[in-house]
Amino acid sequence: MSSPDSLDTFLHAARIRVDEALERYLPRPPACPALISDAMRYSVFAGGKRLRPCLTLAAADAAARRSPELRHAQGIPGAPRDDGPIGTHLALPAACAIELIHTYSLIHDDLPAMDNDTLRRGRPTLHVVYGDGIAILTGDGLQAEAFALLAREPVGTDAPLVLRKLRVLQTIGDAARSTGLVGGQAIDLQAAGQGGVQLTLDGDGLRAMHAKKTGALIRASAVSGAIMAFATDEFVDAIDRYAADLGLAFQIVDDILDVEGNAHELGKTAGKDESSAKPTYPALFGLEPSRSLAADCVARAKQTLVDAGVTEGWLAAIADWVIERRN
Amino acid sequence: MSSPDSLDTFLHAARIRVDEALERYLPRPPACPALISDAMRYSVFAGGKRLRPCLTLAAADAAARRSPELRHAQGIPGAPRDDGPIGTHLALPAACAIELIHTYSLIHDDLPAMDNDTLRRGRPTLHVVYGDGIAILTGDGLQAEAFALLAREPVGTDAPLVLRKLRVLQTIGDAARSTGLVGGQAIDLQAAGQGGVQLTLDGDGLRAMHAKKTGALIRASAVSGAIMAFATDEFVDAIDRYAADLGLAFQIVDDILDVEGNAHELGKTAGKDESSAKPTYPALFGLEPSRSLAADCVARAKQTLVDAGVTEGWLAAIADWVIERRN
């Protein structure tokens, strides 16, 4: 079940499902101004990898394969019957909400006041097209949209469902706030000299920054999928440990690709980290040791799955994909 | 119960309660970077009127005076016993979350890329002190903080409480997203010529913009208080109509104060609207007709309360305060 072929099939189906749902969930005029509707869609449908929502659906699938309670959940009034990988329909709103939060964070990170990037996924960044004011506002709207979506979907007043929705809201809220994503970006800005205090990061500091900046939301992605598919607390914990290692591997590979890649493959400006004197894994540890570190993380993530009894599904293959990817 | 004296007493007590709760809810180092903790507090504790959280607590109080179910709610495990106006402890997290969202929206509105204001509540705006990047990020963090707080508090797994928390999350989420606050600000920016499409607003357009930009969150403030205090759907609807009129009156008075006021009383740059050719009520209708419009709104809001049988509490006095205020 974890050969490259079946992973490609899963990722392809998951992306179509997520894109269809995002298109349905995002508001349109007259409910919202056409300008914001257009700007949200420009950034949301920019051809991203969809790592986070795919991880949510893969974790939901892994949990559903073990959870007898899910059969009950599928009888919740108002919840559509599953039409894809087992049990993942309950996790689809969380998958989409996380992608909306990820997209808003990219829009704001790209602003001149932050990283000042003009190219993202091979296209001009949002503020280049719409101006800084509308870009800030579009990001704000996407974050609010994410939380409103989590409160609304899946529809239903069944107590087990409602409790899980609240738990996912709290998980994603914690990953997005200043204890997570926003805190990590603040450390990153300070390391680049903003905010009046110049931070210098060593290996531990770099790791702590990434744990917040990218790690927290990647962990929330996997954990939310497991929670929505009625996983036990023990299984949720295992998924969390898996995703923490996966997130770190993802970030180390990102740093390596920035050194090695070119703008064409990456779809964004390469060599950006070095030119802005940003702390990175290759800069602190060298290229080969960074590759080993990433491989160690992936090995640990896969061992966590084995220890938790996960022998089928796509989580192990996603871990391999994360270090084998070229963009 | 609605003499100016008793309103002052209520507002004073409510503000202390909200400020104490906000201080407790906002994260501190090492959970979040010191820079973001400081920046959040700089803007959150800047001496605002706290209209929205006071409205939440007043609406909760009004609902609690009629709701037998609240007695049950007070027995929810983990929820602190009420220590202020009846029933308002259940509404305190919503009151604070709304103030966090209001504060984030002010921080972002003040940015050079938006309204470019350097003075707010008598002090330099956040981006003047910390730079644009940290100001954007602090706003982002406050919005996420608001939703994480709503998911977390009040603590408890009792089904009626959990359902009401989710309903409040959805209400506030809808008020904050591009169908509400963000959509209103987008229309405002377009009326100022941003985003490539210059909008010209007539009276209806101005009203529609304010209904989103300030009206949606003011309505959500009152409605959330009523919901958390176990109001009936009928009572929630009445509170919503009251708050829609209140919100419009508030905005018209804001426009009037901008024309009449001075920076010292307002704590922000006066005459800003005229100098930026922003559409306002006085500009479209004249000063006296604008005053009449605001008075009509307040009269309607108070009649809605009478029709709903609200004869005590602070909601009527808050409506009077909104048009009598000088800042």
Side-chain angles (χ1 to χ4, degrees):
Chain A
M1 290 298 282
S2 59
S3 71
D5 270 2
S6 73
L7 178 67
D8 283 346
T9 308
F10 168 77
L11 292 176
H12 182 73
R15 283 172 186 141
I16 288 175
R17 202 141 179 241
V18 165
D19 282 8
E20 280 175 358
L22 283 168
E23 179 53 52
R24 199 167 67 241
Y25 292 147
L26 284 175
R28 282 207 166 276
C32 80
L35 183 69
I36 292 290
S37 163
D38 292 347
M40 288 195 297
R41 284 175 169 79
Y42 180 88
S43 287
V44 170
F45 300 108
K49 289 182 287 293
R50 306 285 194 224
L51 165 69
R52 291 159 191 78
C54 288
L55 197 52
T56 305
L57 297 183
D61 169 73
R65 287 167 191 256
R66 322 156 45 94
S67 169
E69 281 189 70
L70 198 75
R71 304 289 170 263
H72 165 68
Q74 288 182 326
I76 290 171
R81 290 204 65 77
D82 198 1
D83 59 341
I86 305 162
T88 53
H89 77 258
L90 288 174
L92 194 56
C96 291
I98 286 167
E99 188 69 6
L100 295 178
I101 290 173
H102 174 58
T103 306
Y104 115 70
S105 78
L106 296 182
I107 293 171
H108 283 191
D109 284 6
D110 286 342
L111 287 165
M114 305 268 242
D115 293 354
N116 195 19
D117 271 308
T118 55
L119 196 63
R120 164 77 65 185
R121 292 168 181 168
R123 303 197 306 171
T125 46
L126 191 68
H127 64 90
V128 171
V129 181
Y130 287 89
D132 293 4
I134 296 296
I136 293 167
L137 210 48
T138 302
D140 293 343
L142 287 172
Q143 176 163 218
E145 200 63 55
F147 289 107
L149 169 60
L150 289 171
R152 190 173 72 238
E153 308 254 359
V155 175
T157 54
D158 183 83
L161 173 70
V162 166
L163 280 170
R164 276 162 199 276
K165 280 173 72 174
L166 263 188
R167 197 169 149 198
V168 163
L169 267 158
Q170 199 174 329
T171 300
I172 297 176
D174 282 342
R177 67 194 179 107
S178 63
T179 56
L181 190 152
V182 162
Q185 176 69 359
I187 297 170
D188 204 7
L189 285 185
Q190 286 181 278
Q194 282 199 41
V197 193
Q198 170 82 47
L199 281 186
T200 306
L201 300 179
D202 59 7
D204 286 346
L206 182 64
R207 189 187 169 116
M209 176 189 84
H210 285 314
K212 288 179 190 288
K213 190 179 170 181
T214 52
L217 199 60
I218 287 178
R219 284 169 62 192
S221 303
V223 163
S224 297
I227 291 174
M228 289 311 294
F230 286 76
T232 61
D233 288 351
E234 196 187 352
F235 192 72
V236 170
D237 284 347
I239 291 293
D240 191 22
R241 289 195 303 278
Y242 154 85
D245 280 318
L246 183 84
L248 185 55
F250 178 84
Q251 188 56 55
I252 297 170
V253 171
D254 233 42
D255 286 359
I256 294 171
L257 288 174
D258 185 81
V259 177
E260 291 193 324
N262 59 57
H264 178 70
E265 276 190 11
L266 285 179
K268 59 185 176 185
T269 316
K272 182 87 194 171
D273 295 343
E274 197 180 1
S275 69
S276 60
K278 271 200 177 189
T280 64
Y281 277 89
L284 277 179
F285 300 102
L287 258 180
E288 278 314 313
S290 296
R291 278 202 190 89
S292 295
L293 269 174
D296 291 348
C297 288
V298 165
R300 260 199 319 273
K302 289 165 76 175
Q303 186 59 47
T304 301
L305 295 176
V306 171
D307 293 345
V310 177
T311 53
E312 48 178 26
W314 295 279
L315 291 173
I318 287 176
D320 287 330
W321 169 47
V322 155
I323 47 170
E324 286 158 10
R325 70 200 171 93
R326 296 301 306 157
N327 63 43
Chain B
M1 291 298 282
S2 59
S3 73
D5 269 3
S6 75
L7 179 66
D8 282 348
T9 307
F10 168 77
L11 292 177
H12 182 72
R15 284 171 185 140
I16 288 174
R17 201 141 180 240
V18 165
D19 282 9
E20 282 175 357
L22 283 168
E23 180 52 52
R24 199 168 66 241
Y25 292 147
L26 285 175
R28 282 206 166 278
C32 80
L35 182 69
I36 291 291
S37 165
D38 293 346
M40 289 196 297
R41 286 176 167 79
Y42 180 89
S43 288
V44 169
F45 300 110
K49 290 181 287 292
R50 306 286 194 223
L51 165 69
R52 291 159 190 77
C54 288
L55 197 53
T56 304
L57 298 184
D61 170 73
R65 288 168 190 257
R66 328 159 36 98
S67 167
E69 280 188 72
L70 198 75
R71 305 287 170 264
H72 165 69
Q74 288 182 325
I76 291 170
R81 289 205 66 77
D82 198 3
D83 60 340
I86 306 163
T88 53
H89 78 258
L90 288 174
L92 195 56
C96 292
I98 286 168
E99 188 68 6
L100 296 178
I101 289 173
H102 175 58
T103 306
Y104 115 69
S105 79
L106 296 182
I107 294 171
H108 283 190
D109 284 7
D110 287 341
L111 287 165
M114 305 269 242
D115 293 355
N116 195 18
D117 272 308
T118 55
L119 196 63
R120 162 79 62 187
R121 293 169 179 167
R123 302 198 305 171
T125 45
L126 191 69
H127 64 89
V128 170
V129 181
Y130 288 88
D132 293 5
I134 296 296
I136 293 168
L137 210 46
T138 303
D140 292 344
L142 287 172
Q143 177 164 218
E145 201 63 53
F147 289 107
L149 169 59
L150 289 170
R152 191 173 70 239
E153 306 256 358
V155 175
T157 54
D158 182 84
L161 174 69
V162 166
L163 280 170
R164 275 163 200 275
K165 281 173 71 175
L166 266 187
R167 196 168 150 199
V168 164
L169 268 159
Q170 200 174 330
T171 300
I172 297 176
D174 282 342
R177 67 195 178 106
S178 64
T179 56
L181 190 153
V182 162
Q185 176 67 0
I187 296 170
D188 205 8
L189 285 186
Q190 285 180 279
Q194 281 200 41
V197 193
Q198 169 83 46
L199 281 186
T200 305
L201 299 179
D202 59 8
D204 286 347
L206 181 64
R207 188 187 170 115
M209 176 188 83
H210 286 314
K212 287 180 191 287
K213 190 179 169 181
T214 52
L217 199 61
I218 287 178
R219 284 169 62 193
S221 304
V223 162
S224 298
I227 291 173
M228 288 313 293
F230 286 77
T232 61
D233 288 351
E234 196 185 354
F235 192 72
V236 170
D237 283 348
I239 292 292
D240 191 23
R241 288 195 304 278
Y242 153 85
D245 279 317
L246 182 85
L248 185 55
F250 179 84
Q251 188 56 54
I252 296 170
V253 171
D254 232 43
D255 285 0
I256 294 171
L257 288 174
D258 186 81
V259 177
E260 291 192 325
N262 59 56
H264 178 70
E265 277 191 11
L266 286 179
K268 59 184 176 184
T269 316
K272 182 85 193 173
D273 295 344
E274 198 180 0
S275 69
S276 59
K278 271 200 178 187
T280 66
Y281 277 89
L284 276 179
F285 299 102
L287 258 179
E288 279 315 313
S290 296
R291 279 202 189 88
S292 296
L293 267 174
D296 291 348
C297 288
V298 165
R300 260 200 318 273
K302 288 165 76 175
Q303 186 59 48
T304 301
L305 295 177
V306 172
D307 293 346
V310 177
T311 54
E312 47 177 28
W314 295 280
L315 291 174
I318 287 177
D320 287 329
W321 168 48
V322 155
I323 49 171
E324 286 158 10
R325 70 198 171 95
R326 297 301 306 157
N327 64 41

